[in-house]
């Protein structure tokens, strides 16, 4: 058996021994032929791009990747690995929300301090749109509390990799160490304070082994992924895992999925996919459409239907199972799992082909009479998971709710250039001196060595599989209308029965002089702005008199207290 030290070793091996086998297919729509990339083509193209990267950036410098989903992004990602630089995958600018998306990109650039941006021709054109420069600068300044902001974006060299046609030359391709950072995964935290998770080559290999074990993957597996390639589930699950194991994977754009969720099922049938999945909102969208469509699907090939990325909703997943079973979907394929970027991807999972296991809160020893929780399985082999009291740091007993703490070779190295946040999250020790652990910030309990995620300690909103910081929505609301009081709004999410995604609730104080006849205009403006900036569809807006948003004595918004007040009607 051949052993490999890193993902580059695997790419080189497969390019030599399986050169003409198709590794990735990118499907643009439901009718056209897919673009393909063999192992040899990927390696050759990545080497070509890596040579150009090394001419512009030294080892361990950051290179931001700005591409639409597609095969060029994958080639550029592996080019970074080959060149020895740190890849920084990021969402490309949105031409329909150009100012706000460029402002968010600028804040990421200020944190990552990259030497180079690799991008497509289309993205390069958007980056050169100087007419929005002043608006972007003002936006960034407001978020950072600065009056004059010098934009880093304008001064970073850009490399349009689509224009590179030269054959690969000689370049330094020393093998990366397991401790070398492979990429920065920008994750939770407000837009004004982005946090880049430092994922090493060792982390990538460790979690790839864990996913292969959990999903029972082999060379005969076939993947189908529509998830964004810039984040952990799409990046590790959809790009790294197929190469690691050696099976083909079909990819298509998240936008195509949102436009027509049933494309997902159509492609599963067409390519006889064995592994695919996403957040529970994706299953909910398909379940709703399956009730009315006359189209028939054969989903019998689907062996692993993973679901994660947000709290799992038992009713929504059961609804999908009921509808999809009419299309030969086997409910045993459901694979609930728990993961996060700080653990590279997967942290806990069950036994493959065991289906959805849900337990009532009452059976788990809780007072709740109505809620059921989904079993997310056990910690991955060679990893450790504990439930810990977040205040006393005492390890909880079975069925005691506490914070999820994790450690093992998949845990990342910390947050880029943020030692304070790294110390808090990645260097936790129990009251008995056991550690260090990563504090996940999620509440859960363990029953019979299996994890049940109860909720989130963090204020982070998870809407339709996307992390949205409440501060970002609050900022949008307060800027939406002149009658909204600055620093006097609060955003949180509430679960809504039968709905594919949580509802975002925003309460904002308005100025004393506002008349009742102005309320509709304020409400409509807020709804339109939140939809435009954050794509939040399910939104409830409350207009409050001054001084009604609950705050601490130091002036910080008490989001959980505000949420509790809303839920109990007070």
């Amino acid at each position: 058996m051949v052993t490999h030290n890193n993902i580059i070793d695997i790419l080189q091996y497969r390019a030599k021994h399986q050169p003409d086998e198709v590794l990735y297919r990118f499907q643009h729509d439901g009718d056209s032929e897919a673009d393909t990339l063999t192992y040899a083509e990927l390696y050759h193209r990545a080497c070509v791009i890596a040579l150009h990267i090394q001419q512009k950036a030294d080892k361990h410098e950051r290179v931001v990747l700005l591409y639409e989903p597609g095969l060029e992004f994958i080639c550029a990602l592996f080019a970074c690995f080959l060149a020895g630089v740190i890849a920084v995958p990021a969402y490309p600018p949105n031409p329909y929300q150009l100012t706000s998306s460029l402002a968010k990109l600028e804040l990421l650039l200020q944190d990552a301090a990259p030497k180079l941006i690799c991008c497509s021709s289309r993205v390069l054109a958007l980056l050169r749109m100087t007419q929005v420069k002043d608006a972007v600068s003002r936006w960034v300044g407001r978020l950072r509390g600065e009056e004059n902001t010098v934009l880093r974006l304008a001064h970073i060299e850009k490399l349009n990799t689509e224009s590179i046609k030269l054959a690969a030359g000689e370049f330094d391709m020393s093998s990366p160490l397991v401790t070398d950072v492979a990429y920065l995964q920008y994750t939770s935290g407000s837009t004004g304070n982005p946090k880049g998770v430092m994922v090493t080559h060792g982390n990538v290999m460790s979690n790839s082994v864990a996913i292969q074990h959990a999903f029972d993957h082999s060379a005969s597996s076939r993947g189908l992924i529509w998830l964004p390639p810039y984040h952990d589930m799409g990046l590790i699950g959809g790009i790294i895992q197929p190469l690691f194991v050696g099976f083909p994977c079909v990819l298509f754009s998240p936008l195509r999925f949102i436009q027509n969720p049933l494309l997902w099922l159509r492609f599963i049938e067409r390519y006889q996919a064995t592994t695919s999945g996403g957040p529970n909102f994706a299953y909910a969208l398909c379940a709703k459409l399956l009730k009315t469509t006359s189209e028939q699907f054969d989903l019998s090939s689907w062996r692993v239907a993973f679901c994660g990325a947000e709290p799992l909703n038992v009713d929504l997943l059961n609804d999908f199972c009921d509808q999809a079973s009419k299309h030969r979907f086997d409910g045993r394929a459901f694979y609930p799992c728990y993961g996060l970027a700080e653990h590279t991807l997967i942290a806990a999972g069950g036994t493959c082909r065991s289906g959805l296991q849900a337990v009532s809160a009452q059976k788990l020893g809780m007072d709740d009479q109505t809620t059921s929780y989904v079993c997310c399985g056990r910690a991955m082999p060679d990893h450790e998971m504990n439930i810990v009291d977040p205040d006393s740091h005492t390890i909880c007993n079975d069925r005691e709710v506490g914070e999820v703490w994790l450690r093992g070779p998949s845990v990342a190295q910390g947050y880029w250039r943020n030692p304070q946040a790294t110390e808090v999250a990645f260097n936790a020790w129990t009251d008995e001196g056991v550690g260090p652990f990563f504090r996940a910030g999620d509440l859960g309990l363990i029953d019979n060595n299996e994890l049940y995620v109860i909720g989130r300690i963090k204020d982070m909103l998870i809407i339709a599989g996307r992390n949205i910081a409440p501060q970002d929505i609050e900022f949008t609301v307060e800027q939406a209308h002149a009658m909204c009081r600055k620093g006097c709004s609060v955003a949180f999410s509430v679960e809504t029965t039968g709905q594919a995604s949580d509802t975002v609730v925003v309460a904002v104080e308005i100025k004393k002089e506002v008349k009742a006849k102005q309320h509709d205009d304020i409400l409509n403006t807020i709804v339109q702005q939140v939809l435009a900036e954050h794509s939040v569809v399910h939104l409830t807006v409350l207009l409050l008199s001054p001084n009604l948003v609950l705050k601490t004595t130091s002036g910080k918004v008490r989001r959980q207290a505000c949420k509790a007040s809303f839920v109990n009607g007070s």
Side-chain angles (χ1 to χ4, degrees):
M1 181 178 178
V2 179
T3 58
H4 303 286
N5 295 318
N6 53 67
I7 200 67
I8 290 303
D9 287 351
I10 294 176
L11 174 57
Q12 291 173 315
Y13 177 85
R14 299 203 187 285
K16 179 179 180 180
H17 296 280
Q18 304 161 245
D20 300 323
E21 291 184 22
V22 173
L23 173 57
Y24 303 116
R25 286 181 170 85
F26 189 82
Q27 187 75 52
H28 292 277
D29 53 45
D31 301 316
S32 63
E33 288 293 318
D35 296 334
T36 62
L37 200 61
T38 67
Y39 289 102
E41 288 170 340
L42 171 59
Y43 181 63
H44 174 75
R45 180 66 180 158
C47 285
V48 170
I49 298 172
L51 174 63
H52 287 260
I53 289 175
Q54 283 197 336
Q55 292 170 353
K56 300 174 182 295
D58 293 332
K59 282 195 170 184
H60 309 304
E61 288 191 300
R62 278 72 57 212
V63 174
V64 172
L65 306 179
L66 295 177
Y67 296 87
E68 307 87 348
L71 300 183
E72 188 71 4
F73 168 82
I74 298 174
C75 293
L77 175 70
F78 284 101
C80 288
F81 296 162
L82 285 163
V85 298
I86 299 173
V88 187
Y91 280 94
N94 183 341
Y96 302 104
Q97 300 173 12
L98 190 58
T99 299
S100 60
S101 62
L102 283 175
K104 293 172 184 177
L105 173 61
E106 173 64 29
L107 290 164
L108 181 150
L109 296 176
Q110 290 183 9
D111 188 75
K115 183 67 178 292
L116 180 69
I117 293 175
C118 287
C119 60
S120 64
S121 302
R122 177 177 173 274
V123 170
L124 183 60
L126 293 175
L127 297 179
R128 288 174 172 170
M129 296 189 72
T130 56
Q131 64 267 34
V132 298
K133 178 180 176 181
D134 290 343
V136 171
S137 181
R138 288 194 299 271
W139 189 291
V140 172
R142 287 197 302 267
L143 286 171
R144 299 298 289 266
E146 303 168 354
E147 289 189 8
N148 298 308
T149 300
V150 177
L151 298 182
R152 182 182 286 268
L153 176 60
H155 303 286
I156 301 174
E157 186 174 2
K158 286 86 175 174
L159 175 63
N160 174 11
T161 60
E162 290 178 339
S163 67
I164 298 174
K165 306 298 181 186
L166 298 177
E170 294 296 325
F171 68 101
D172 179 11
M173 196 176 61
S174 56
S175 185
L177 303 175
V178 294
T179 55
D180 286 344
V181 177
Y183 63 90
L184 300 183
Q185 170 72 81
Y186 275 85
T187 180
S188 60
S190 69
T191 299
N193 184 30
K195 290 192 293 185
V197 179
M198 297 185 287
V199 181
T200 68
H201 284 278
N203 295 149
V204 170
M205 293 295 285
S206 170
N207 212 247
S208 296
V209 170
I211 295 170
Q212 181 179 9
H213 168 81
F215 289 5
D216 194 24
H217 278 158
S218 68
S220 62
S221 299
R222 295 178 297 278
L224 178 77
I225 300 292
W226 55 266
L227 299 158
Y230 325 109
H231 278 224
D232 47 9
M233 194 179 288
L235 179 61
I236 295 294
I239 296 175
I240 299 296
Q241 178 70 183
L243 172 63
F244 180 83
V245 179
F247 64 80
C249 186
V250 178
L251 306 164
F252 72 105
S253 168
L255 180 60
R256 290 284 179 263
F257 168 77
I258 295 299
Q259 292 171 336
N260 183 5
L262 292 184
L263 268 181
W264 184 20
L265 308 186
R266 190 183 305 167
F267 289 154
I268 286 175
E269 176 181 7
R270 178 183 302 179
Y271 292 103
Q272 291 293 286
T274 61
T275 298
S276 192
N280 53 219
F281 90 88
Y283 292 99
L285 289 176
C286 287
K288 182 179 180 180
L289 292 173
L290 284 174
K291 293 175 183 177
T292 58
T293 185
S294 60
E295 190 172 359
Q296 292 295 309
F297 305 96
D298 181 359
L299 305 177
S300 58
S301 66
W302 200 355
R303 290 184 51 81
V304 181
F306 60 84
C307 40
E310 61 182 341
L312 301 178
N313 186 302
V314 178
D315 294 334
L316 292 179
L317 294 177
N318 280 333
D319 190 23
F320 173 84
C321 193
D322 290 342
Q323 298 303 319
S325 64
K326 302 170 187 175
H327 300 265
R328 301 187 66 192
F329 175 75
D330 186 344
R332 294 176 298 174
F334 262 135
Y335 190 90
C337 46
Y338 172 72
L340 58 173
E342 289 89 345
H343 201 274
T344 309
L345 179 55
I346 194 168
T351 302
C352 207
R353 304 290 293 170
S354 61
L356 190 66
Q357 307 293 325
V359 180
S360 69
Q362 201 169 18
K363 286 186 177 179
L364 292 173
M366 304 168 68
D367 294 333
D368 191 334
Q369 302 290 316
T370 59
T371 306
S372 292
Y373 294 101
V374 175
C375 175
C376 293
R378 306 183 177 202
M380 294 293 101
D382 301 320
H383 293 73
E384 184 179 347
M385 175 174 60
N386 282 301
I387 304 299
V388 180
D389 185 298
D391 298 318
S392 69
H393 292 193
T394 301
I395 295 178
C396 297
N397 297 319
D398 277 7
R399 298 190 175 187
E400 282 186 354
V401 176
E403 185 180 13
V404 180
W405 285 24
L406 303 161
R407 69 171 172 173
S410 290
V411 174
Q413 299 305 294
Y415 297 116
W416 175 254
R417 299 204 312 178
N418 196 335
Q420 183 176 1
T422 297
E423 177 66 22
V424 171
F426 287 86
N427 194 31
W429 296 74
T430 70
D431 62 341
E432 296 181 348
V434 180
F437 286 90
F438 168 71
R439 300 184 64 166
D442 293 312
L443 290 172
L445 62 81
I446 289 178
D447 182 47
N448 194 28
N449 292 321
E450 294 184 311
L451 173 67
Y452 294 82
V453 178
I454 306 303
R456 293 183 295 277
I457 296 176
K458 301 175 183 178
D459 290 326
M460 182 62 60
L461 311 179
I462 302 180
I463 306 299
R466 296 177 298 122
N467 283 3
I468 305 177
Q471 297 94 330
D472 294 346
I473 292 182
E474 290 157 8
F475 177 82
T476 297
V477 169
E478 291 167 13
Q479 298 296 320
H481 200 285
M483 291 296 105
C484 295
R485 300 184 71 211
K486 304 299 185 286
C488 296
S489 66
V490 59
F492 49 87
S493 63
V494 293
E495 188 172 338
T496 306
T497 303
Q499 196 167 277
S501 178
D502 285 359
T503 293
V504 173
V505 177
V506 177
V508 58
E509 295 178 8
I510 53 178
K511 296 178 181 179
K512 289 181 180 180
E513 60 266 33
V514 173
K515 307 297 182 183
K517 63 182 181 182
Q518 296 176 271
H519 287 184
D520 286 347
D521 177 59
I522 297 172
L523 289 169
N524 290 335
T525 302
I526 290 172
V527 169
Q528 291 171 10
Q529 283 298 108
V530 173
L531 177 62
E533 298 296 339
H534 305 285
S535 301
V536 171
V537 176
H538 303 295
L539 178 68
T540 296
V541 181
L542 307 175
L543 301 182
L544 304 179
S545 300
N547 304 315
L548 287 183
V549 171
L550 302 176
K551 297 182 178 181
T552 66
T553 54
S554 60
K556 295 180 181 178
V557 174
R558 298 172 58 201
R559 292 189 182 85
Q560 295 305 313
C562 290
K563 177 176 179 177
S565 180
F566 173 83
V567 171
N568 65 30
S570 62

